[in-house]
Amino acid sequence: MINKVVKNAQEAVSDIQSGSVLMLGGFGLCGIPENCIHAILELGIENLTCISNNAGVDDFGIGLMLQKKQVKKMVSSYVGENAEFERQLLSGELEVELLPQGTLAERIRAGGAGIPAFFTPAGYGTEVAEGKEVREFDGKMYLMEKWLRADFAIVKAWKGDTAGNLIYKGTARNFNPMMAAAGKITIAEVEELLPAGELGPNEIHTPGVYVQRIFEGVGYEKRIEKRTVTSKN
Amino acid sequence: MALDKIGIAKRIAQEIKDGMYINLGIGIPTLVANYIPDKLEVVLQSENGLLGIGRFPFEEDVEADLINAGKQTVSMLPGSSLFNSAESFGMIRGGHIDLTILGAMEVSENGDIANWKIPGKMVKGMGGAMDLVAAAKNIIVAMQHKSKSGKSKLLPSCTLPLTGTKCVRKIVTDMAVLNVLDSGGFQLIERAPGVSVEEIKEATAGKLIVEGDIPEMNI
């Protein structure tokens, strides 16, 4: 069996080159690969294309990569809560492809599943449709959208094992499972890394076949964007 | 007197029926959850991968790995389920969500909606809104009747980049409840308490259809 376990984030990302296409899991700051993002910041590579639902916030997540001007292009669905992003976008420094969230998710899923294109109703009649093939099925109009694949998919899971199997927690699952399948090389960072056999096969969300490198991350901050609570009084 | 945001949310809550699966957008739509009658059992979907959103958690139960699509910390109700984003939008596009409630910057008299971009000024992205409006069986828009600068948001055609076409079925504003007719036009159904038909006419730039006496909302 090939050893998938690497020591840490630095080792996991060490061969990512400038100009690479990356997928980064997460929704907002929930379920983002914090350790790998920090390692990419240290690596100092640039001209990256990042496929990720959001672009972090100014001082956390992908926002940090934007501050260091490592990102050439973002492919996302929602990029609010990030002033530096908006500044780079409006000044033309950063190229951005905004997609309906479901289209983004399905394009990534298609990439991992060997489906080069599909038709979706989302975005028909809007500027998202510009330049895309439109076709009618049963009286309704649909856009053709193509698969997305990446040189490196970087995902975050709750638990993983040495065979690369992954289990996510709560809504931190989001884009991570589809991205895991759509990377030529998939790097998984997990909060707890266990020997193969310790995770129940019935509980696995991402089968190990998709994961090439795995490590146990350290020092998770898990920053909360909007802490909303119910008072007991 | 025109309604406040809570009034709009309360009126929209009257549209909810027992057993519905519902997606609530950010802003006024989120408030609707607070006014769903206790006797109704509905399931709220969050497009980041949760069916069965509960109330905000108690302080000691806050969990960074459990948020709604507005990035707020939430709890789960008994019977909840978790899933990935592709599955989430599969259930949206597949027509499994009964009702979508979302905000808008503009709605046109043929049901087009614009709510994601102001060219040159604001680019936040469409998030899940385009998928939701392309597929939900029933779409209700919650918004102010006029913009902050006093311009009507109910127009003959949208001026901002569209989110979706011919999809809005009903609009609840601070002034009125209106149906969007398949044949085009805003059909006035109810007035906010104390708001006259004349005032609504004046605030509606698109084609307004008024038939018979228009009752006041009951909230």
Side-chain angles (χ1 to χ4, degrees):
Chain A
M1 184 77 183
I2 306 159
N3 180 33
K4 298 184 178 189
V5 179
V6 295
K7 201 164 62 212
N8 53 28
Q10 284 71 23
E11 186 184 340
V13 306
S14 59
D15 59 343
I16 301 181
Q17 306 289 318
S18 289
S20 296
V21 176
L22 310 183
M23 287 180 181
L24 295 130
F27 180 97
L29 301 178
C30 183
I32 61 171
E34 293 183 22
N35 280 225
C36 284
I37 289 171
H38 283 284
I40 290 168
L41 289 169
E42 288 168 22
L43 207 54
I45 47 174
E46 49 191 25
N47 281 320
L48 300 171
T49 296
C50 292
I51 301 167
S52 184
N53 187 53
N54 313 89
V57 295
D58 278 318
D59 60 347
F60 202 60
I62 295 173
L64 296 168
M65 293 164 62
L66 292 166
Q67 298 278 2
K68 281 195 78 176
K69 306 226 165 38
Q70 292 182 286
V71 183
K72 176 186 67 176
K73 181 180 179 185
M74 282 295 312
V75 180
S76 302
S77 89
Y78 185 83
V79 293
E81 329 336 324
N82 192 324
E84 175 63 12
F85 184 101
E86 207 157 4
R87 190 196 65 74
Q88 289 187 20
L89 172 59
L90 293 171
S91 72
E93 288 166 60
L94 180 69
E95 198 186 326
V96 178
E97 184 177 355
L98 286 170
L99 294 168
Q101 196 173 140
T103 297
L104 178 63
E106 192 64 13
R107 286 179 68 176
I108 297 165
R109 198 196 71 79
I115 305 286
F118 58 92
F119 286 87
T120 177
Y124 171 73
T126 77
E127 62 183 53
V128 167
E130 284 168 17
K132 291 174 183 165
E133 184 182 335
V134 170
R135 205 185 287 185
E136 184 180 329
F137 295 91
D138 297 333
K140 188 167 170 172
M141 304 305 286
Y142 296 82
L143 300 183
M144 190 173 80
E145 293 281 3
K146 292 179 186 164
W147 61 8
L148 284 170
R149 292 179 292 176
D151 298 315
F152 293 88
I154 304 172
V155 303
K156 154 78 183 9
W158 179 33
K159 293 179 182 175
D161 68 19
T162 52
N165 295 305
L166 304 176
I167 295 175
Y168 308 93
K169 188 178 182 191
T171 54
R173 192 180 319 183
N174 56 63
F175 283 80
N176 285 299
M178 292 82 73
M179 288 182 174
K184 281 182 205 150
I185 293 174
T186 291
I187 300 167
E189 56 173 87
V190 299
E191 290 176 54
E192 192 180 358
L193 182 61
L194 299 160
E198 293 291 306
L199 297 177
N202 280 308
E203 315 298 320
I204 304 293
H205 297 132
T206 292
V209 64
Y210 300 122
V211 175
Q212 279 71 47
R213 299 174 193 171
I214 189 165
F215 67 94
E216 188 171 286
V218 292
Y220 282 103
E221 183 178 340
K222 291 198 181 184
R223 194 182 292 188
I224 292 171
E225 277 184 77
K226 291 175 187 163
R227 189 184 195 89
T228 45
V229 296
T230 298
S231 162
K232 277 191 171 165
N233 304 319
Chain B
M1 203 182 70
L3 300 176
D4 59 9
K5 286 178 183 179
I6 288 172
I8 296 173
K10 283 183 175 169
R11 177 59 190 82
I12 290 178
Q14 295 174 8
E15 301 292 318
I16 291 170
K17 294 181 183 70
D18 197 36
M20 276 183 163
Y21 288 85
I22 304 169
N23 182 291
L24 300 176
I26 295 161
I28 299 173
T30 305
L31 295 174
V32 174
N34 301 334
Y35 304 102
I36 300 170
D38 287 339
K39 63 177 196 281
L40 300 187
E41 273 188 45
V42 300
V43 180
L44 301 180
Q45 196 238 20
S46 195
E47 63 264 28
N48 57 322
L50 168 61
L51 268 176
I53 310 171
R55 51 155 176 70
F56 295 144
F58 293 127
E59 183 65 44
E60 64 269 29
D61 298 329
V62 167
E63 167 68 79
D65 289 330
L66 197 62
I67 61 170
N68 65 19
K71 325 258 170 67
Q72 296 170 312
T73 48
V74 293
S75 64
M76 289 189 282
L77 293 174
S80 284
S81 55
L82 294 158
F83 35 87
N84 68 50
S85 301
E87 172 109 48
S88 180
F89 283 94
M91 74 182 66
I92 288 167
R93 285 189 312 264
H96 306 282
I97 301 299
D98 302 301
L99 175 62
T100 289
I101 302 168
L102 77 176
M105 299 184 212
E106 295 177 347
V107 178
S108 81
E109 64 191 32
N110 67 351
D112 295 352
I113 176 171
N115 72 352
W116 72 281
K117 182 179 181 182
I118 304 173
K121 274 192 191 163
M122 185 281 284
V123 191
K124 291 192 188 300
M126 63 291 281
M130 284 193 181
D131 309 272
L132 283 158
V133 301
K137 286 178 234 168
N138 191 5
I139 296 167
I140 300 179
V141 163
M143 67 176 189
Q144 305 298 324
H145 213 98
K146 294 186 282 190
S147 69
K148 281 182 185 140
S149 58
K151 291 198 181 109
S152 178
K153 295 168 76 171
L154 290 83
L155 304 171
S157 60
C158 293
T159 64
L160 295 170
L162 294 181
T163 307
T165 59
K166 296 182 184 167
C167 54
V168 177
R169 304 281 292 275
K170 184 169 268 185
I171 306 165
V172 178
T173 75
D174 53 332
M175 300 180 79
V177 180
L178 311 104
N179 284 339
V180 181
L181 299 183
D182 287 342
S183 51
F186 302 108
Q187 181 185 29
L188 185 58
I189 303 296
E190 293 172 19
R191 300 172 288 121
V195 174
S196 70
V197 171
E198 281 310 309
E199 286 172 301
I200 294 165
K201 270 185 189 162
E202 207 168 295
T204 307
K207 181 178 168 191
L208 185 73
I209 297 158
V210 184
E211 285 164 348
D213 281 343
I214 307 298
E216 281 192 358
M217 297 179 206
N218 181 19
I219 28 182

